[in-house]
Amino acid sequence: MYVDDLKSDFYEFLTGKRIFLMIHYDIDSICTCKILQSLLKYKHILYTLAVVRSAEDLKRAYRENCNDVKYFILINCGGTIDIVEEVEAEEDVTFFILDSHRPIDLCNIYSNGQVRLLSSPEEDALVPDFHDVFREESDEEEEHEDDDGENENRAAKRRRLDEEEIIKRREKRLWEEKRNKLLFEYSQFTYYGKSSAVYMFDLAWKVNRDDKELLWLAIVGLTEQMCLGKIENTQYSLQIGHLQTHATKLRNRTCDADVVTSLKVNFEKDVKLNLYRHWSIKSSMKFSAYTAVKMKLWSLRGRQKTARASRRHGSSQAFRTMDLQLRKEFHETLERLSEKYGLQDITYATFTLQYGYRNKYCAMDIVLALLAILEASPKEKKPEELFNSALDCLSRTKKEVIDNAVERAKIITKTLFKTVQSALDMKQIISAGPFIYYIVQEGCVDWYMFSHPHILSLLAQFVLRAYVAMSRNRKASSLPLILSAPKNVEAGSCILLGIPPLCENSPKNFFGKAFEQAAERINCDASCDFFDTSYFEIHIKDRTRFFDALTALLS
Amino acid sequence: MFGEKGYALVKELSRYEDSLPPYNTDLVNEVSNEIKLLIDQNKEDAQMTTDEGSGAPSMVSTIRIRHAAVKRNLRCLMAYHYNRIRCLRTMRWEFGSILPVDIRANLSSAESEPWQLICGQSVTGGVNLAVDLKPPKALYIEVRCLADYGNLELNDGSVILLKKDSRHYLPRNECEELIRQGVLRHIV
């Protein structure tokens, strides 16, 4: 069931009730959670918060708390599974789900009030009609009743019934075929919908609680989707336009534009260089995925080119210590140069957050910093601790947390580049016919970073782009990529990620179903515990057979 | 020697800094007996000096010394009791109105009675005077759980599971005790 009016049916409905928040372990959810927390505080709604990473976590959290709490809010999790069935929920428990994962499970959509979806239904997703998927069981019951009343003149009735029954069965078979077809079409692709943080910010706006801080959180949530390639570019542009109107409105209202140190959220054109504000331009250009792919920086010629380009504007000096004039002209210089080096679309629209004299962060920088906290922290830290420090990173008072995270994000960027470089140099990206694959070996530099889904997805995009840029194969851009990295060395499991080919230009992902079927074919024990089904976990020893099965399936 | 017992009392105090030792009834009684004895002796001698006029040798110096000893003993007794009260006062803030059993056993009867009285007064008319020194900014606060505490029942009857590293938004007065105990941490 979709909730039409978030304000009255969700926010005001929850007033005075104890609720339980389940937050998925990703950046969009963390931003959403922070917006929601500030909304709940206004109404003095008591809540308990837990982090979930997989369906297993979700079930455990539910079991532990279902006796005390009757209202559960699930953020970016639970939408794609039949939640009532999965957790064996009691009648009086209500779930509110805000999930950007798609497709949403049909049982949740057609639930009778126990599951309430906070996102709005999408136009382009073809949700099958209720009657095409669910059918009342009465038909069979009737049959049974008929069986009972069959005492007198059995023979005559039997004949008539037989005909009826055959027709009925035929109808049923046809209906089932149609149902399976519809269900397959509906669940064939996994993809992402509108960012949950943007939904939550809209709610905050509707209840007149929007401010610049919340706007910034919504921006970070949206930027994460763009950065990890979860949504299409058009969708991103639409949403960013929507947020820009909010930014303009909020700026006018506070009238503090003339104060230099006030908190400002600015809509800006920025360049696709990772973290350059906190790094030097040279290193940023060298390691960023965009420039690396466009200028083929893993080759000697590419490196010479970038050396020349970066000599023109600034040098290996840290960006923040560069001359003010140079810094101001940086974007223009880069745009002028972009034609020469084939970097036409290097700029994109984004927001920057500015407060005080020294702090200026681009939304992308924050996303990378959060990613570094969530997925590249020392191993012994528990996810809950990392979640807490990610929340700290988003609050502006703890500068040292952000600074540390930015430093670590630089390491990630470097590692990504080096991994791609070595993959290309050693020719480790292998074509298997209908797809290409790359296996991150256990011994390679910082391999443990890639056992986390988000960094793995960054690597996947980077590898695919680099492969297409380098490959002589004309069909390269129409091949999807599968990436595999070790997940748990002791248990000997590895994580798989499939991403759609570049030419598709849409992040709709068909690997979820393909992985499932391939695992079925070779009969290996696979655990698909991720909410995003394009990730998969299998045993390392099954990997070769799994790839063979996939090749057979996809060709 | 005069005043030795009073000195022992004070020494005991400094041995147990920041904690409350059992009330040393014996020693306190001995010190007060000593004071009584000295005063009686002083009285006698003073009587003698006034009665006999200038005949007997003057007892003034003896009386002076005894009096100094009385004063010193009194000071020691005062110090002993004052420090115990101070210790009790800090404990009142730390533990709330109900003391742990092992500490209550260390109190003398003269100490435990006023304790009951004070605690009774500080919760008058439904207002707990001992809770906040400064008025709180918000009635509800966000806390993080630092240990597996188990179930916590709130005043309204609802039950909350406090699990390590979970976050909660709770009424301020309910979690203050737990924050002091180190189970929860206030997130600012």
Side-chain angles (χ1 to χ4, degrees), chain A residues 37 41 47-49 388, chain B residues 140 142 144 159 167-169:
Chain A
Q37 276 181 318
K41 262 174 208 166
Y47 62 79
T48 301
L49 192 155
N388 284 328
Chain B
Y140 295 85
E142 196 184 349
R144 209 181 110 188
V159 180
R167 285 183 166 225
H168 306 266
Y169 188 60

Side-chain angles (χ1 to χ4, degrees), chain A residues 361-499:
Chain A
Y361 295 98
C362 170
M364 185 78 95
D365 299 347
I366 295 289
V367 169
L368 288 172
L370 286 172
L371 211 60
I373 290 181
L374 292 183
E375 305 205 327
S377 291
K379 260 188 188 171
E380 61 275 5
K381 292 220 173 173
K382 283 175 40 184
E384 284 83 4
E385 279 175 54
L386 299 178
F387 180 81
N388 284 328
S389 48
L391 283 179
D392 285 345
C393 181
L394 280 171
S395 71
R396 287 178 293 116
T397 45
K398 305 208 168 149
K399 191 168 164 20
E400 75 283 353
V401 179
I402 305 183
D403 287 346
N404 285 340
V406 165
E407 287 307 313
R408 226 175 299 144
K410 287 180 195 169
I411 298 174
I412 295 180
T413 317
K414 273 189 202 167
T415 312
L416 284 175
F417 177 77
K418 280 178 191 156
T419 313
V420 172
Q421 189 176 23
S422 76
L424 288 170
D425 286 348
M426 314 281 277
K427 300 214 183 318
Q428 282 172 330
I429 305 170
I430 301 158
S431 172
F435 61 88
I436 52 175
Y437 68 90
Y438 170 57
I439 295 173
V440 181
Q441 297 299 341
E442 214 174 281
C444 91
V445 196
D446 289 340
W447 60 268
Y448 54 85
M449 260 187 208
F450 301 120
S451 55
H452 298 285
H454 292 127
I455 294 182
L456 192 67
S457 114
L458 279 181
L459 179 69
Q461 289 173 39
F462 200 165
V463 167
L464 187 60
R465 294 230 166 91
Y467 178 78
V468 172
M470 280 299 281
S471 172
R472 290 205 190 81
N473 186 353
R474 223 178 297 151
K475 269 170 46 194
S477 67
S478 63
L479 293 175
L481 168 78
I482 295 178
L483 205 60
S484 167
K487 168 90 178 159
N488 189 342
V489 183
E490 285 90 47
S493 60
C494 66
I495 182 171
L496 291 176
L497 163 68
I499 59 167

Side-chain angles (χ1 to χ4, degrees), chain B residues 129-146:
Chain B
L129 295 178
V131 175
D132 285 304
L133 289 178
K134 287 179 210 145
K137 282 242 168 82
L139 289 175
Y140 295 85
I141 54 173
E142 196 184 349
V143 290
R144 209 181 110 188
C145 202
L146 300 176

Side-chain angles (χ1 to χ4, degrees), chain A residues 528-545:
Chain A
C528 185
D529 216 15
F530 299 98
F531 287 110
D532 187 344
T533 51
S534 56
Y535 295 94
F536 210 68
E537 202 177 320
I538 55 170
H539 221 268
I540 284 183
K541 65 178 178 355
D542 293 330
R543 189 155 59 188
T544 328
R545 282 200 304 140

